[in-house]
Amino acid sequence: MNMIYATYNIHHNSIDVNTHAGYFLRIDCNKAEEELKTTPCSECALNALVIDEPLDICRCGWMQRIRWNYGR
């Protein structure tokens, strides 16, 4: 069974993704949004999405631009 659970972590401003297999991924929202151009309205909508549906934000196309550093 492939279970994925994601929550927004207000202490680190990140999305924490956990899998049933024991993997943990923390997505830094500040780094992910560095080059993202937003308006106040779109930023409000993005913040609401991160808090309410963090797994959906992980599937967004702009998340693919992040350079993942595994243990570096």
Side-chain angles (χ1 to χ4, degrees):
M1 176 186 287
N2 293 330
M3 299 268 301
I4 298 175
Y5 181 73
T7 57
Y8 176 68
N9 185 328
I10 62 172
H11 302 293
H12 296 282
N13 190 27
S14 64
I15 298 173
D16 296 342
V17 182
N18 296 294
T19 67
H20 182 70
Y23 293 103
F24 175 79
L25 173 67
R26 175 168 284 160
I27 300 170
D28 184 354
C29 292
N30 292 328
K31 187 167 212 124
E33 295 173 359
E34 267 179 2
E35 297 178 21
L36 187 66
K37 294 177 177 46
T38 61
T39 64
C41 185
S42 66
E43 187 171 341
C44 182
L46 181 62
N47 289 340
L49 183 62
V50 167
I51 293 167
D52 296 338
E53 298 294 334
L55 196 54
D56 288 345
I57 202 75
C58 295
R59 295 182 186 130
C60 287
W62 61 268
M63 291 299 292
Q64 297 172 1
R65 297 184 320 187
I66 298 173
R67 282 173 262 154
W68 302 102
N69 295 321
Y70 295 104
R72 291 188 199 178

